[in-house]
Amino acid sequence: MLALIYFIILAVIAVGAACCVFLSKHPLYGGLSLVLTMLSLAGIYGLLGSPFIGVVQIMVYAGAIMMLLVFVISVLNAAKDNRTPMFDGTSIFVLIGVLGLAGLIGFALVLTPLGFDATTLRGSVEMTSSNLFDTAQTGPGYFVLFEVLGLLLLSSMGAAVLMAKKRLGSDASVEAASEEAIAEEKEEK
Amino acid sequence: MTNLPLWIIPLFPLLGTILLGTVAVVSSGSKKGPSEGFVGALSVLFPALSFVSVVLLAFGMPEEGIRQTLCNWIDIPMLKVNIGFLFDGLSRVMLLFVTGIGSLIALYSIGYMHGDRGFTRFFAYINLFLFSMIVLVLSDSLLLTFLGWEGVGLCSYLLIGFWNHDLNNCKAANKAFIVNRVGDIGFLLGMLCLATLGGSAILNYDALNKFIEMLIAGGHVELATPIIAIAGLLFFVGCTGKSAQIPLLTWLPDAMAGPTPVSALIHAATMVTSGVYLLARLSRMFSVIPEVLMIVLIVGMLTAFWAAVAGLFQNDIKKVLAYSTISQLGYMFMAAGASAYDASIFHVFTHAFFKAALFLGAGAVIHALAGEQDMRRMGGLIKKTPVTACVMIFAFLAIIGFPGFAGFWSKDLILERLYTNAPFGEFFYGVGLLTAVITAVYMGRLIIMTFFGEYRGPKEKEAHIHEAPACMLFPMVILAVGAVFAGYLWADSLGIKFFEGTLAPVVGVAQDFVVGKLAVAHVNPMAFACFGTAAALLGMFIAYAIYGTKRLPRLHAKWGSAPEGFKADWTFFFDYIHSIFIVMFKAAAFVADVFVDKVLQAIQWTIGAIAEIVGDGVSSFQARKVRVQLTLSLVGLVALTAVVLLTGGLF
Amino acid sequence: MELQPIFIQMLALLLFAIGLATALARRNVFFVLMGIELALNAVNLSFVGFAKTLPAAESVAGQIVPLFSIAVAAAEACVGLALVILIFRNRESVDSDNYSNMKG
Amino acid sequence: MLLHLLVLAPFVAAVLMAATSKEDPKSSSRLAFLFGYAFVALSIALIASGNQATEAIEWFHIPGAKGSVYYYLYSHGLGAWMVLLSTSLSLVALMTARNTLDTNYRNFAIGIFALMGAMNGTFLAADAVLFFFFFEAMVIPAAILIAAYGGKERTKAAMTFAIYTLVGSAPMMVALWYLVTVADNSLVLSLAVALQNLDPAMQSTLLACFLLAFMVKTPIFPFHGWQAITYAEAPAPLSAILTGAMSKAGVFGFIAWILPIFPLSMEWVDAMMWLGLLTAVYGAMLAFRAMDGKKLLAYSSMGHLGLAVAGVFSLSESMLPAVLVLLVAHGLSAGAQFYLMGIAERFAGTRDIEQLGGLAKRNPVFGSLFGFVAVLSLAVPGTAGFVGEFTVLMSLWDMGPLPALVAGLCLILSAAYMLRFVQKVIFGTPARQYEDGKRMTALEGSSIGVMGVLLLVFGMHPAFITNALQLFDENAVQEMNKVSHPETAPVESSTVEAPADVVDDATADENVAAVAQPMTEEDLRQLDSNLKANGFSDEERASLIAQLKAMSESEVAEAPEQNEATANEEASENE
């Protein structure tokens, strides 16, 4: 009963924050609301018996979203069209589609019999680590996957750095030149 | 003398063409152009050399003619034709006046074309024309004749459109060429028709004559008559095109857009008579198809009469002469239709002299008046240009058949033969005589309006009127002499029959074949002579009565100035008939272009679009926005989910 | 009334729907990215929720996969933002409609 | 060797041209002219040396086919003259293009050489699949050249051209594949024999597929949609090649592939002949209304080729020489006209004939050349066009007066539109200000003039052209077979007059040597009568059959042991 109450409180916060994301005008407020959603979701994870995921959620998303926020603040001020309308004709179309999809899936979910299993393992650090790293017990599957994921993160970071940088080894004059080139390209198009 | 090869006759003008053409092209870049004296000398030299060789050959010609085969031309399984020449009585007569008058007119042109930008080009064309005409007359097979036949048509086109910066001239030239082409296709199909009968070898004149003889000897004439009749008709279509007979006569008046020497040479003396020449050349073939001859006779009569009537209404001096040419050609066709080929060729001969003289005279008048062609602005020129006037008056007397002049003898002979040879001869004789009266009227009108009365043109021009230079007068005088005396070669009433004798080996057999079957009515030749003279005098009197006394017609204000463009003042409805065909063709072309082609293109592009859609798949429907596309995929997902849910799975 | 798995799934569905709507309906490219994050989170929640309905051996997978998912989401956010910046430099715009030219 | 050179060397030349400078048209044009002259010389040598064939080299196997595809070239009069057209027009195109194109002459030359190689292959291929290969390959360089050097709507024109012709020949590919699966190999006569055994419905389906491809290429009336826009948008030198040489591939296909392979019923022949005449009239009518000078020429070329196709399907005895002369004459005159139109376009910057005019006054040399070539295209006697059209009319007269009458009408119409064209382009007063300095160079003028003079020469002595067809005599055939199959030549000469019992043996052997015994005497006789019905003369039939026999003999020789033994047995029996 108590769990339900906590869940309802957290769920309301999550949904409300999500709605804020959807409706907020400035990305800054949207980002903050998103963080709120993440936090409440982390709470729900804990509530459901997977505290480790909850913690990871907070750690990773806090970092990620914070980064997002930094970018938003740094970039958006230069945008010339951050005053574009939030929604347009397509949005209505999208909403109808999303509602239809949600209705259908919800309908399917309601029809599905579901119940908590008592033997479910608690998603603790021990369980997670033993499943991830104890190759004798679970086979190499998760371990290799984990390593690959590490590589993915590394490479995506490298890619992000490369892309976001204006030009490798650039100095001011080259930058100016490249910007001119970009402007010329735009004019051509 | 007789061992002169025949190909030397066409060779000279051909050399002249090549030489002058080269000079024309090479000198086109320079401002000044080549020396006119040099070019003029060259351009008279070659026809004159040709004339000399013709004269040399003519005197040594044996009775049956000279035949020489030069080389092989076309050698294809079904078609083997040689380039060969035939010099007999008929081609001798034709060649003599073609090269002779050609040389004279070339001489005349030096004066007439003086100072023109295309001086050299003009003489190149004239030489090319003479070459074609000589080939036409001299060849020994229909196919080679056809080469000359189209060649003269081409030269006529080039020369009518000589002043090609004026599009009206070009249009007249195009008209001449296309109308001629219609006739030429008749000629061509006629050749094909004959070839189906006896293979391509039959295209040779001698072989054709032998073939006809064989048919007659074997009694197979009836069997072959239908095809020969069709061939004859098709050839006659060719002749009507080239000789401006009904229904293809409209081009000749328009052809007067060319320089006047051209009108004299091509459209009066030589090219237009090639139809008559062909009829005489094929006389043996026509002799077995009297039905076609009857058509020739009727067409000739209608043309002669109608063209004479049309001549009454012209105000352009050259157009009057053009219609009179058509009318005289009608006489020649009537004679040919009555199987009097020798008479018709005789008229060709005399006509060449007096009509060339008339045209050259008209040219001198136009030259004197600085390009004025409207007779309503002339008058009284006999005082200013006496020599021209005398030449014109002599030629006038010749054309109306005044006793003693050339036209008298030939026209008289034609009328006589019409009366004696043709079926319903009295009728044709009557129409011929009436036409002679009208001829005298319109020619009298021309002479009176041009040379007598008072000068009606603008005053400031009057002072400039001058007699033509000597090199123009000399040919005119010679032609005038010819117009007076050419008739004495066959003065039937005086008993001189030289001309008949020279043509007898060629056309005699055919004439005897036809005439032999008829009961020839014997009438005193003097009676015909009297009637002919009376007709000429009557016509002259009418002309004097109408135009001489009242100083008519006055230049109406509303008539405007010169005759407009290439249109004649008053033509027959043949122009309209032709335009019906042209409009029909244009309508068909319009339908083809605008409707059929568009429909075909629509089908083609529809198929293309379908193919493109099939080929590119759904990407043809791609929207530009990512979001729209994602949403569409979302909707697809919804639909898929709905299907899965509602049917309990797809399978 | 106890907490039911269906509630969790419904919450996940709701969040997913909102995330999807944000990603597609909003024109600002940052909101698009946020919508995607939101939808990913909803999926994670759904994983965890389903894991709790399964017996021990299977439920492990349901709790480990979200870890990977979170990591991938982080990588995605990283690269996505870099891309946004790159495009933004060219176009000076955060309107996703300005970016797209999908007509072949 | 000559044949190989003519087909393969242009591609080599194209590759070599790639080594020259892109920026400097002078140096690259020098090399291109050198190659061009060499190829013209080679093709003249080809005509002079008469019929010949190469060794049949096995190329590849088509899945499902019994025999393999050969790389096998042979030349007869028709193909050799078409090759001359393609090489000479290419040479003149290279000459005129140097002044017309200001950019990248080198790549143009590369394209022209590739196109020339493909065309030569088309006209010389003895194997149907090889023919089809080159027939399709022609399209690609042409389309690329149009897309790269054309006028305003060049992309559309290139696409239309490529799609139309490729789609048009797609059914032919299917039909050919089907025929190859039932025939022993893909040479003409084995295809013909294979076709005899099919049922009539299938035969006419295959015939329709083949006809479609050639009708699109020629083009014949309902399939002419690609032509006007392609010829108009292509650079003028390329248009000249397209109309002068490439469109001949269609007529060539009718003569060299349709007539020998298919037993034509009277309905087909009649239909095709009337379609040809309809095309001629239709082309003339469209030409009369065309405002774009190059479109006008395109339609005029359609008219002439329609007449040629009608001539082909008159199936008269003299059809082949007649059509050959007509094709050569049209190739030269239409080519020259396109070159001249390109030069006029360069003078005036427009193709609209209403805006041209007065060029005779402006540039007399150009004017006289233009008028001269126009007259040559009018079939005035003394020009090659006249000989061609007269003999074609003669062939048509065999089918009755009406076709000949329609053809005569076409001649009148052609005069009408051509004179209108001449009048609008060179006569009258100049309708616009022409730029100074853009003159016709001596090289262009003289090369076009040479084409005109050639037309006159051929007109006065058409035997130059038609003699090439009369090399179908027995000696030449023998020689040809000796060249191509030295070891089997004597054998086959005896089998031509093989007695009846040998025929029985041969048919009996057919089971044993099913793969390598493609022809029986029975087949040959049947085929012979079929060819005769289709209007082939004795010499041509003899040569074709001898060729076929040579082919089958060689197969026998190449076949495994037992077949060779059979062949030897047969040979000894014959002796």
Side-chain angles (χ1 to χ4, degrees):
Chain A
M1 188 65 205
L2 196 63
L4 183 63
I5 293 169
Y6 283 138
F7 174 78
I8 289 172
I9 293 167
L10 286 173
V12 167
I13 294 171
V15 171
C19 285
C20 281
V21 174
F22 183 55
L23 295 173
S24 60
K25 232 180 197 149
H26 199 276
L28 189 58
Y29 307 132
L32 287 173
S33 311
L34 189 62
V35 170
L36 197 57
T37 317
M38 303 288 175
L39 290 176
S40 58
L41 279 184
I44 291 177
Y45 293 152
L47 193 67
L48 288 175
S50 298
F52 182 63
I53 295 180
V55 173
V56 170
Q57 166 99 352
I58 292 171
M59 284 164 64
V60 173
Y61 271 113
I65 299 308
M66 281 317 289
M67 193 171 70
L68 195 65
L69 285 177
V70 170
F71 273 127
V72 168
I73 293 160
S74 65
V75 163
L76 261 195
N77 291 331
K80 61 184 176 191
D81 58 350
N82 49 12
R83 290 279 163 217
T84 49
M86 287 160 61
F87 302 107
D88 57 3
T90 318
S91 308
I92 301 164
F93 189 38
V94 170
L95 280 181
I96 295 169
V98 168
L99 282 179
L101 185 69
L104 282 169
I105 295 176
F107 177 66
L109 278 176
V110 169
L111 291 185
T112 319
L114 284 173
F116 284 120
D117 196 300
T119 62
T120 315
L121 290 177
R122 185 178 160 79
S124 61
V125 181
E126 294 85 23
M127 188 221 71
T128 312
S129 62
S130 70
N131 269 296
L132 276 180
F133 303 117
D134 188 357
T135 53
Q137 190 193 341
T138 57
Y142 287 129
F143 181 68
V144 173
L145 205 58
F146 192 81
E147 295 299 321
V148 169
L149 196 69
L151 275 178
L152 173 73
L153 277 170
L154 187 68
S155 60
S156 68
M157 194 178 73
V161 169
L162 277 181
M163 279 192 288
K165 247 179 115 68
K166 281 195 172 173
R167 186 164 292 179
L168 277 177
S170 69
D171 54 26
S173 64
V174 177
E175 255 174 47
S178 73
E179 268 177 14
E180 272 176 23
I182 288 163
E184 274 171 20
E185 269 178 31
K186 264 163 64 180
E187 275 173 18
E188 276 174 20
K189 278 162 192 167
Chain B
M1 283 300 168
T2 46
N3 51 12
L4 209 58
L6 286 180
W7 49 261
I8 204 156
I9 306 174
L11 181 70
F12 284 125
L14 184 63
L15 278 179
T17 310
I18 295 169
L19 211 59
L20 290 169
T22 316
V23 171
V25 170
V26 168
S27 68
S28 64
S30 68
K31 275 269 184 299
K32 201 159 149 269
S35 146
E36 282 190 6
F38 170 68
V39 169
L42 270 185
S43 54
V44 178
L45 177 70
F46 285 107
L49 279 175
S50 188
F51 176 65
V52 169
S53 43
V54 171
V55 170
L56 290 179
L57 276 162
F59 280 110
M61 189 194 83
E63 178 76 359
E64 71 283 353
I66 310 171
R67 286 165 178 75
Q68 282 175 5
T69 302
L70 186 62
C71 63
N72 174 286
W73 180 14
I74 300 178
D75 186 12
I76 285 174
M78 254 171 80
L79 180 66
K80 291 194 197 321
V81 183
N82 290 330
I83 296 182
F85 298 117
L86 167 62
F87 190 79
D88 61 0
L90 182 57
S91 22
R92 175 168 64 178
V93 172
M94 294 292 289
L95 280 177
L96 274 175
F97 77 77
V98 165
T99 51
I101 294 184
S103 313
L104 287 178
I105 289 178
L107 183 60
Y108 175 90
S109 309
I110 296 175
Y112 191 84
M113 300 301 290
H114 171 74
D116 195 277
R117 261 188 71 93
F119 190 77
T120 323
R121 191 162 58 94
F122 178 83
F123 286 106
Y125 290 164
I126 288 278
N127 271 285
L128 182 61
F129 168 77
L130 283 174
F131 166 73
S132 308
M133 192 68 205
I134 290 170
V135 168
L136 193 163
V137 175
L138 195 61
S139 84
D140 73 340
S141 68
L142 278 165
L143 206 65
L144 193 57
T145 299
F146 190 62
L147 191 151
W149 190 268
E150 284 253 290
V152 291
L154 179 67
C155 295
S156 150
Y157 163 77
L158 291 172
L159 286 166
I160 294 169
F162 181 73
W163 287 312
N164 54 34
H165 49 82
D166 185 358
L167 278 183
N168 280 336
N169 294 348
C170 294
K171 279 179 189 156
N174 286 358
K175 185 175 175 182
F177 192 83
I178 292 166
V179 173
N180 265 311
R181 202 84 209 266
V182 175
D184 292 348
I185 299 303
F187 191 123
L188 204 153
L189 292 178
M191 282 194 285
L192 292 181
C193 206
L194 278 185
T196 51
L197 203 62
S200 64
I202 208 178
L203 296 180
N204 190 295
Y205 293 126
D206 288 333
L208 180 63
N209 289 346
K210 263 192 209 109
F211 180 77
I212 301 284
E213 296 292 347
M214 237 166 57
L215 282 182
I216 293 167
H220 300 307
V221 179
E222 279 73 29
L223 274 176
T225 301
I227 298 180
I228 295 188
I230 292 174
L233 262 182
L234 288 168
F235 280 122
F236 178 60
V237 170
C239 296
T240 57
K242 196 72 37 182
S243 293
Q245 299 294 295
I246 290 171
L248 300 178
L249 53 73
T250 54
W251 65 271
L252 189 55
D254 291 356
M256 296 303 131
T260 308
V262 171
S263 310
L265 178 63
I266 301 185
H267 305 118
T270 53
M271 181 184 100
V272 288
T273 59
S274 54
V276 187
Y277 165 78
L278 187 72
L279 287 183
R281 188 50 94 188
L282 296 176
S283 56
R284 197 70 194 95
M285 191 187 87
F286 278 102
S287 68
V288 296
I289 38 174
E291 304 83 4
V292 178
L293 280 184
M294 194 65 203
I295 295 174
V296 175
L297 184 54
I298 293 171
V299 168
M301 180 199 79
L302 291 177
T303 313
F305 181 70
W306 283 4
V309 173
L312 281 174
F313 296 93
Q314 304 302 319
N315 286 320
D316 184 332
I317 186 167
K318 285 175 74 180
K319 296 254 155 89
V320 179
L321 294 177
Y323 276 105
S324 103
T325 307
I326 298 176
S327 174
Q328 298 301 313
L329 287 166
Y331 269 113
M332 298 167 202
F333 272 69
M334 276 161 93
S339 292
Y341 302 104
D342 46 5
S344 89
I345 293 294
F346 185 47
H347 196 57
V348 167
F349 182 70
T350 56
H351 174 254
F353 284 102
F354 58 70
K355 188 49 64 66
L358 279 172
F359 263 114
L360 294 192
V365 168
I366 294 166
H367 191 78
L369 294 177
E372 181 60 63
Q373 298 196 13
D374 195 334
M375 291 197 299
R376 289 167 299 190
R377 292 169 186 274
M378 297 176 185
L381 292 182
I382 194 165
K383 289 165 235 161
K384 311 258 180 188
T385 58
V387 183
T388 309
C390 284
V391 168
M392 288 278 278
I393 287 167
F394 278 130
F396 158 72
L397 291 175
I399 195 174
I400 65 169
F402 196 79
F405 287 83
F408 170 74
W409 303 109
S410 55
K411 200 185 277 184
D412 200 36
L413 197 65
I414 287 174
L415 291 174
E416 180 186 335
R417 291 294 181 85
L418 275 178
Y419 189 81
T420 55
N421 287 11
F424 312 108
E426 296 82 358
F427 171 69
F428 290 112
Y429 178 75
V431 176
L433 212 55
L434 180 61
T435 309
V437 175
I438 303 174
T439 307
V441 175
Y442 69 73
M443 288 311 293
R445 172 172 174 266
L446 183 145
I447 294 293
I448 290 168
M449 284 177 76
T450 311
F451 292 111
F452 296 101
E454 287 169 17
Y455 181 66
R456 295 182 293 275
K459 287 284 170 256
E460 68 272 13
K461 270 192 182 174
E462 197 171 355
H464 296 291
I465 300 172
H466 57 91
E467 186 65 277
C471 73
M472 285 167 74
L473 286 182
F474 174 66
M476 283 161 62
V477 171
I478 293 196
L479 287 172
V481 170
V484 178
F485 295 109
Y488 289 100
L489 288 175
W490 190 358
D492 213 20
S493 317
L494 300 180
I496 306 171
K497 299 205 177 191
F498 169 74
F499 208 85
E500 190 180 19
T502 124
L503 286 180
V506 185
V507 297
V509 186
Q511 282 182 200
D512 293 343
F513 183 79
V514 177
V515 178
K517 289 180 185 168
L518 296 172
V520 178
H522 282 286
V523 187
N524 187 359
M526 286 315 283
F528 293 115
C530 289
F531 275 116
T533 312
L537 290 175
L538 177 65
M540 276 167 77
F541 175 72
I542 294 173
Y544 179 73
I546 297 178
Y547 304 108
T549 52
K550 296 193 213 159
R551 290 180 50 202
L552 270 178
R554 200 157 285 139
L555 187 61
H556 244 270
K558 66 171 180 179
W559 285 345
S561 58
E564 60 157 309
F566 63 101
K567 289 259 189 284
D569 277 355
W570 191 85
T571 59
F572 290 116
F573 48 89
F574 293 106
D575 262 330
Y576 296 99
I577 295 176
H578 289 191
S579 68
I580 288 171
F581 283 106
I582 293 167
V583 165
M584 270 166 56
F585 166 65
K586 278 187 174 165
F590 180 79
V591 169
D593 186 16
V594 175
F595 188 67
V596 179
D597 218 48
K598 292 287 175 292
V599 167
L600 283 174
Q601 281 201 355
I603 293 172
Q604 160 192 335
W605 290 119
T606 315
I607 293 175
I610 292 171
E612 196 172 330
I613 288 168
V614 170
D616 291 359
V618 193
S619 73
S620 307
F621 301 116
Q622 249 178 3
R624 208 183 131 266
K625 290 183 180 177
V626 188
R627 286 167 56 223
V628 177
Q629 288 192 35
L630 284 174
T631 317
L632 282 171
S633 68
L634 178 68
V635 171
L637 185 64
V638 172
L640 198 68
T641 318
V643 167
V644 170
L645 283 179
L646 296 180
T647 61
L650 279 173
F651 299 102
Chain C
M1 192 178 168
E2 275 305 309
L3 180 62
Q4 297 290 319
I6 188 73
F7 296 164
I8 302 167
Q9 296 308 326
M10 279 307 191
L11 176 63
L13 179 63
L14 204 59
L15 287 177
F16 181 78
I18 294 172
L20 198 61
T22 313
L24 295 184
R26 293 299 298 261
R27 293 176 62 171
N28 193 318
V29 70
F30 288 102
F31 281 98
V32 174
L33 282 177
M34 286 183 210
I36 291 168
E37 294 295 334
L38 201 53
L40 276 171
N41 270 295
V43 171
N44 284 349
L45 181 61
S46 179
F47 266 118
V48 174
F50 276 118
K52 293 296 160 190
T53 66
L54 297 172
E58 284 97 36
S59 77
V60 175
Q63 297 185 45
I64 292 197
V65 167
L67 278 177
F68 291 113
S69 158
I70 288 169
V72 170
E76 173 257 313
C78 178
V79 175
L81 280 168
L83 277 174
V84 167
I85 290 197
L86 203 62
I87 300 170
F88 180 80
R89 247 189 236 148
N90 272 340
R91 299 282 171 112
E92 302 252 324
S93 162
V94 287
D95 190 349
S96 66
D97 281 358
N98 281 349
Y99 295 178
S100 54
N101 191 359
M102 292 288 279
K103 182 77 177 153
Chain D
M1 195 56 212
L2 215 48
L3 295 165
H4 285 306
L5 268 182
L6 273 169
V7 175
L8 299 178
F11 294 110
V12 177
V15 173
L16 288 181
M17 284 303 296
T20 57
S21 159
K22 205 168 173 181
E23 280 77 27
D24 180 19
K26 277 228 174 89
S27 67
S28 57
S29 71
R30 241 172 258 146
L31 187 64
F33 290 175
L34 192 69
F35 281 131
Y37 283 123
F39 288 128
V40 171
L42 280 178
S43 48
I44 290 172
L46 180 71
I47 291 168
S49 58
N51 293 348
Q52 51 184 299
T54 61
E55 300 261 349
I57 302 162
E58 232 178 274
W59 190 16
F60 65 92
H61 273 273
I62 290 179
K66 283 191 219 157
S68 60
V69 173
Y70 291 93
Y71 175 76
Y72 182 29
L73 305 172
Y74 77 121
S75 95
H76 43 86
L78 184 65
W81 271 98
M82 295 297 115
V83 167
L84 177 64
L85 273 187
S86 100
T87 52
S88 54
L89 287 173
S90 300
L91 175 61
V92 183
L94 290 171
M95 286 172 173
T96 49
R98 195 171 71 168
N99 297 86
T100 311
L101 303 175
D102 37 358
T103 55
N104 217 339
Y105 178 83
R106 181 196 75 170
N107 288 4
F108 184 79
I110 292 174
I112 291 286
F113 280 125
L115 181 61
M116 188 212 280
M119 285 193 296
N120 291 354
T122 313
F123 294 130
L124 295 177
D127 185 292
V129 178
L130 188 66
F131 169 79
F132 184 78
F133 171 76
F134 283 123
F135 190 74
E136 297 290 88
M138 278 191 300
V139 177
I140 296 157
I144 291 173
L145 284 178
I146 295 168
Y149 296 92
K152 280 197 193 76
E153 295 186 344
R154 54 175 179 262
T155 328
K156 190 182 164 197
M159 283 304 283
T160 317
F161 169 64
I163 289 174
Y164 225 115
T165 45
L166 291 179
V167 167
S169 48
M172 175 173 153
M173 184 175 74
V174 178
L176 185 62
W177 178 76
Y178 180 80
L179 262 181
V180 168
T181 56
V182 296
D184 297 294
N185 55 45
S186 46
L187 301 188
V188 185
L189 293 204
S190 46
L191 291 185
V193 170
L195 200 82
Q196 306 254 310
N197 303 325
L198 299 175
D199 64 298
M202 179 54 94
Q203 284 188 12
S204 42
T205 313
L206 294 179
L207 174 58
C209 292
F210 270 72
L211 281 179
L212 180 70
F214 298 135
M215 274 156 77
V216 169
K217 198 71 136 203
T218 308
I220 294 297
F221 165 56
F223 306 109
H224 61 274
W226 60 272
Q227 195 209 23
I229 181 173
T230 306
Y231 287 6
E233 292 300 327
L238 183 64
S239 310
I241 297 180
L242 289 184
T243 184
M246 205 189 79
S247 62
K248 305 289 184 293
V251 186
F252 178 84
F254 286 124
I255 298 175
W257 294 96
I258 299 270
L259 293 186
I261 293 183
F262 292 93
L264 292 169
S265 66
M266 212 52 215
E267 290 85 49
W268 278 107
V269 173
D270 260 354
M272 284 307 295
M273 188 196 70
W274 281 109
L275 214 51
L277 287 174
L278 178 65
T279 309
V281 175
Y282 189 82
M285 290 199 295
L286 286 191
F288 192 77
R289 281 185 59 84
M291 278 298 145
D292 183 330
K294 276 158 95 180
K295 276 191 181 166
L296 191 149
L297 290 176
Y299 288 127
S300 119
S301 141
M302 183 174 145
H304 283 98
L305 288 175
L307 212 55
V309 170
V312 168
F313 284 93
S314 68
L315 296 185
S316 83
E317 189 195 342
S318 68
M319 168 276 283
L320 196 56
V323 172
L324 174 59
V325 177
L326 181 60
L327 288 185
V328 172
H330 171 255
L332 290 178
S333 67
Q337 281 189 305
F338 266 112
Y339 294 130
L340 285 170
M341 191 62 216
I343 294 169
E345 191 182 345
R346 194 170 80 211
F347 287 152
T350 177
R351 301 195 303 255
D352 191 343
I353 54 176
E354 291 291 347
Q355 294 186 40
L356 290 166
L359 277 172
K361 199 171 180 185
R362 180 81 202 166
N363 194 337
V365 180
F366 173 81
S368 18
L369 208 53
F370 195 92
F372 177 52
V373 173
V375 165
L376 290 179
S377 77
L378 277 181
V380 171
T383 65
F386 168 71
V387 180
E389 303 214 342
F390 183 74
T391 43
V392 162
L393 270 172
M394 215 162 172
S395 308
L396 283 173
W397 187 273
D398 274 7
M399 298 286 279
L402 195 58
L405 208 62
V406 176
L409 177 72
C410 292
L411 294 191
I412 298 172
L413 296 186
S414 75
Y417 67 72
M418 200 44 82
L419 292 187
R420 169 173 169 269
F421 182 46
V422 169
Q423 176 198 321
K424 299 246 172 184
V425 174
I426 62 173
F427 290 158
T429 44
R432 61 195 277 134
Q433 212 61 41
Y434 293 113
E435 285 172 54
D436 272 327
K438 289 186 176 174
R439 300 193 71 81
M440 187 169 65
T441 61
L443 188 65
E444 289 165 350
S446 55
S447 55
I448 294 169
V450 166
M451 287 167 78
V453 171
L454 270 183
L455 279 171
L456 280 182
V457 170
F458 291 151
M460 291 318 288
H461 193 66
F464 278 136
I465 303 176
T466 53
N467 275 349
L469 290 173
Q470 287 158 4
L471 293 169
F472 275 111
D473 59 357
E474 206 59 37
N475 283 334
V477 172
Q478 293 290 334
E479 280 301 310
M480 188 181 81
N481 289 327
K482 263 182 219 153
V483 169
S484 56
H485 310 286
E487 75 281 4
T488 53
V491 177
E492 114 223 358
S493 62
S494 59
T495 42
V496 172
E497 297 90 21
D501 52 347
V502 180
V503 174
D504 290 343
D505 272 359
T507 34
D509 285 343
E510 201 180 4
N511 298 329
V512 182
V515 184
Q517 187 70 39
M519 286 292 143
T520 63
E521 290 295 320
E522 196 63 35
D523 286 338
L524 283 180
R525 213 166 295 144
Q526 203 177 353
L527 180 79
D528 193 40
S529 61
N530 179 21
L531 285 177
K532 197 170 191 172
N534 280 346
F536 274 65
S537 71
D538 290 340
E539 296 97 16
E540 289 164 61
R541 285 204 311 270
S543 101
L544 280 170
I545 285 172
Q547 248 176 46
L548 172 76
K549 292 181 80 66
M551 204 55 224
S552 64
E553 292 291 336
S554 77
E555 282 207 355
V556 169
E558 287 156 13
E561 286 266 27
Q562 76 269 26
N563 291 347
E564 201 162 45
T566 334
N568 290 343
E569 204 177 285
E570 193 186 322
S572 60
E573 260 179 78
N574 292 344
E575 280 154 12

